[in-house]
């Protein structure tokens, strides 16, 4: 009999939080391949799309998976990290892996790993992310999915997901993040992300920072890959195109479900793209998903303009400018997992467009290894007050560290020992007319959703 779900999750977390291992122990695809070989190579039983990047890869993955599902394909989706429960990371046709399935598959993968370590086939037990990736592959194989969308955990070249041979590789926007592991320049980071491109393969991307463009372009040339631009699927975003890109009303929560809405020519037809992903930066992510879907249609998958339209509309990706309307005297809440400067700029732009005349109170917490001072300089001036807090994670910065990083900013900053305390204080400060913005880390957003009972 396999261990309980609670025991399986505890054993996973006992491996250590993600990114706490030394890079030399985390990144070695030979170890991942050895584990999968012992599991009879589940990753070879289904075609897959691999999506890497610094920002937007989760939104792109969720949109593409929704399109594939709308096209009638049994679709696996693997993303990271999670907001509330680990099960969120592994889905088939939108449904999370069940607790019993997770526990059973964890038992299989864990026993296999321990045997390999005992026989000297592995030098140490696989990491949290390697274990979870193997569990996802096993789950997808056992349930006979028709295609998987896999979000790279970090980097690309040596990420555990990169053992698969993708039908399409997608690279989203690249910026500085995880420099300790990936390099100190955009070019170095782009080289890691470009590691998901295959010789003779197809890669979908968009023009971005010149340093990233150079690396991606040269990699495509060196490998004889086919580069596909998603530019045709990005609608105009100039000031003169406001009517064309009718994203939301001025107040983002006036609609029960705020959406971005714009017409688009796709596969020879004009369709109306309507997506719950809000903000100009999300237009790029949706475009990448549409371009990848069209590539897959040329490869024989039954994807049409109509299923692209339906899939974009039905996308669910919580915690990305997710608005919870004011009710019962509580303020309006905005959840956004902006966790680096590029994400902070995207959030600032969307907040400015949606809440120009509304007072904002921020609940902010971040990981210690993030660019906290830069994020604070971008976001905090928008707020009347910031409540600095920390998540239940060993990498989390303390409120004092956040305050010190934001020392040059005039905005009032208060401390709260944990997320529930921060929410209590924010609620009293904002009142029913204010807006509380919860951001800085996916862990902060997840804990806030849990505390407020927001459905994932």
């Amino acid at each position: 009999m396999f261990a309980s779900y609670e025991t399986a999750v505890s054993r996973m977390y006992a491996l250590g939080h993600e990114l706490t291992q030394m890079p030399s122990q985390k990144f070695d695809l030979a170890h991942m391949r050895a584990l999968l070989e012992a599991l009879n190579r589940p990753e070879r039983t289904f075609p897959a799309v691999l999506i890497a990047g610094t920002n937007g890869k989760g939104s792109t993955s969720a949109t593409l998976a929704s399109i594939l599902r709308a096209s009638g394909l049994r679709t696996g989706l693997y993303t990271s990290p999670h907001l509330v429960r680990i099960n969120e990371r592994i889905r088939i046709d939108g449904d999370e892996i069940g607790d019993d399935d997770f526990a059973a598959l964890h038992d299989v993968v864990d026993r296999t790993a321990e045997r390999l370590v005992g026989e000297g086939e592995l030098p140490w037990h696989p990491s949290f992310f390697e274990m979870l990736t193997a569990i996802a592959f096993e789950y997808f194989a056992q349930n006979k999915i028709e295609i998987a969308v896999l979000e790279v955990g970090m980097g690309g070249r040596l990420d555990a997901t990169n053992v698969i041979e993708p039908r399409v590789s997608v690279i989203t926007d690249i910026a500085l993040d995880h420099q300790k592991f990936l390099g100190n320049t955009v070019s170095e980071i782009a080289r890691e992300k470009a590691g998901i491109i295959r010789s003779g393969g197809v890669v979908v991307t968009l023009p971005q920072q010149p340093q990233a463009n150079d690396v991606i372009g040269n990699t495509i040339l060196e490998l004889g890959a086919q580069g596909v631009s998603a530019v045709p699927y990005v609608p105009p975003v100039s000031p003169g195109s406001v009517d064309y890109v009718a994203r939301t009303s001025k107040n983002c929560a006036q609609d029960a479900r705020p959406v971005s809405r714009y017409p688009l020519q796709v596969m020879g037809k004009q369709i109306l793209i309507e997506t719950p992903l809000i903000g100009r930066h999300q237009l790029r992510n949706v475009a990448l998903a549409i371009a990848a879907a069209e590539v897959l249609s040329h490869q024989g998958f039954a994807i049409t303009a109509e299923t692209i339209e339906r899939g974009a509309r039905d996308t669910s990706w919580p915690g990305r400018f997710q608005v919870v309307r004011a009710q019962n005297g509580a303020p309006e809440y905005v959840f956004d997992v902006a966790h680096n400067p590029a994400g902070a700029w995207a959030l600032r732009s969307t907040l400015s467009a949606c809440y120009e005349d509304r007072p904002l109170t921020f609940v902010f917490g971040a990981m210690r290894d993030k660019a906290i001072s830069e994020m604070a300089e971008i976001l905090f001036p928008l707020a009347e007050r910031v409540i600095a807090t920390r998540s239940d994670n060993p990498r989390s910065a303390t409120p004092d560290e956040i305050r010190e990083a934001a020392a040059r900013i005039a905005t009032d900053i208060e401390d709260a020992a944990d997320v529930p305390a921060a929410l209590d204080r924010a609620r009293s400060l904002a009142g029913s007319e204010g807006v509380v913005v919860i951001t800085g880390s996916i862990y902060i957003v997840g804990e806030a959703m849990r505390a407020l009972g927001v459905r994932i």
Side-chain angles (χ1 to χ4, degrees):
M1 182 65 182
F2 56 82
S4 70
Y5 170 76
E6 291 76 15
T7 300
V9 173
S10 294
R11 286 181 179 172
M12 286 291 292
Y13 284 127
L15 295 171
H17 279 269
E18 291 164 286
L19 308 186
T20 54
Q21 292 106 328
M22 290 299 290
S24 62
Q25 251 186 283
K26 183 167 178 65
F27 303 135
D28 193 327
L29 292 188
H31 299 164
M32 189 65 191
R33 290 192 178 101
L35 177 60
L36 294 173
E37 184 70 44
L39 294 168
N40 296 317
R41 303 310 297 252
E43 81 284 5
R44 292 183 176 177
T45 65
F46 50 83
V49 178
L50 197 53
I51 300 180
T54 305
N55 291 303
K57 59 184 186 290
S59 298
T60 303
S61 299
T63 302
L64 178 58
S66 184
I67 290 169
L68 296 173
R69 182 182 171 196
S71 302
L73 294 161
R74 186 164 172 77
T75 304
L77 175 62
Y78 179 54
T79 57
S80 63
H82 58 273
L83 283 164
V84 176
R85 300 179 80 233
I86 199 170
N87 306 51
E88 296 165 32
R89 301 174 180 232
I90 303 170
R91 297 173 179 266
I92 294 178
D93 287 345
D95 295 326
E96 297 175 4
I97 184 173
D99 291 358
D100 288 346
D101 284 334
F102 186 93
L105 289 174
H106 171 269
D107 194 59
V108 169
V109 176
D110 194 48
R111 286 177 187 272
T112 302
E114 288 179 352
R115 175 174 62 79
L116 293 173
V117 172
E119 294 172 354
E121 295 294 320
L122 286 177
W124 45 67
H125 194 285
S127 69
F128 175 98
F129 191 74
E130 288 165 337
M131 286 286 295
L132 200 60
T133 303
I135 291 170
F137 289 166
E138 275 286 301
Y139 185 60
F140 293 159
Q142 289 185 13
N143 286 275
K144 296 180 169 54
I145 64 165
E146 294 173 279
I147 190 167
V149 178
L150 308 175
E151 178 190 356
V152 168
M154 186 178 68
R157 183 174 62 93
L158 295 176
D159 188 81
T161 58
N162 201 32
V163 295
I164 64 109
E165 289 301 318
R167 289 294 190 93
V168 185
S169 300
V170 181
I171 299 180
T172 68
D173 289 343
I174 295 170
L176 293 176
D177 202 9
H178 297 307
Q179 289 97 310
K180 175 183 173 185
F181 299 93
L182 303 179
N184 292 315
T185 67
V186 169
S187 294
E188 289 175 333
I189 293 171
R191 270 190 284 277
E192 294 297 320
K193 310 289 186 185
I196 69 166
I197 301 173
R198 295 294 187 269
S199 178
V202 182
V203 56
V204 174
T205 191
L206 280 167
Q208 48 181 298
Q209 294 189 60
Q211 307 96 304
N213 290 338
D214 289 347
V215 171
I216 295 168
N218 288 333
T219 304
I220 290 171
L221 290 173
E222 289 164 9
L223 295 176
Q226 177 192 352
V228 174
S229 173
V231 166
Y233 303 122
V234 181
V237 291
S238 64
S241 66
V242 170
D243 293 335
Y244 183 72
V245 185
R247 288 170 290 156
T248 62
S249 57
K250 190 68 174 175
N251 179 343
C252 288
Q254 280 181 359
D255 302 311
R257 182 176 182 253
V259 296
S260 301
R261 186 184 298 116
Y262 48 93
L264 208 60
Q265 283 288 129
V266 176
M267 298 170 71
K269 296 185 177 180
Q270 179 161 302
I271 61 175
L272 182 68
I273 295 296
E274 190 174 275
T275 169
L277 300 175
I278 305 299
R280 288 189 173 188
H281 60 294
Q282 293 289 13
L283 303 179
R284 294 173 60 83
N285 302 326
V286 173
L288 288 165
I290 292 171
E294 182 166 7
V295 170
L296 290 169
S297 76
H298 296 322
Q299 294 180 2
F301 293 93
I303 298 163
T304 65
E306 289 78 14
T307 62
I308 288 173
E309 181 179 58
R310 188 161 68 249
R313 184 178 65 242
D314 293 343
T315 300
S316 175
W317 193 228
R320 281 73 184 175
F321 209 86
Q322 181 176 349
V323 179
V324 175
R325 301 171 74 189
Q327 54 186 333
N328 301 325
E332 190 167 307
Y333 292 100
V334 175
F335 301 90
D336 193 272
V337 298
H339 62 276
N340 56 36
W345 277 118
L347 174 58
R348 176 173 175 149
S349 171
T350 311
L351 286 170
S352 296
C354 290
Y355 296 113
E356 186 180 14
D357 302 320
R358 301 277 296 279
L360 304 179
T361 300
F362 276 44
V363 171
F364 181 90
M367 297 298 101
R368 189 175 287 111
D369 57 344
K370 296 293 185 176
I372 298 174
S373 60
E374 197 173 341
M375 293 165 66
E377 288 180 11
I378 295 164
L379 290 173
F380 289 10
L382 294 182
E384 290 198 342
R385 188 159 302 180
V386 173
I387 301 161
T389 189
R390 64 172 299 157
S391 65
D392 183 19
N393 185 301
R395 291 171 52 225
S396 187
T398 65
D400 282 345
E401 288 170 329
I402 293 171
R403 181 192 294 279
E404 185 178 338
R408 293 189 299 177
I409 300 160
T411 307
D412 288 339
I413 302 174
E414 295 187 14
D415 295 356
D418 54 29
V419 171
L423 292 172
D424 285 344
R425 180 59 177 152
R427 191 182 299 114
S428 64
L429 286 170
S432 59
E433 298 302 312
V435 179
V436 175
V437 180
I438 302 155
T439 189
S441 158
I442 195 165
Y443 301 101
I444 294 290
V445 171
E447 289 181 26
M449 285 183 159
R450 191 182 304 118
L452 293 170
V454 176
R455 247 171 20 105
I456 300 297

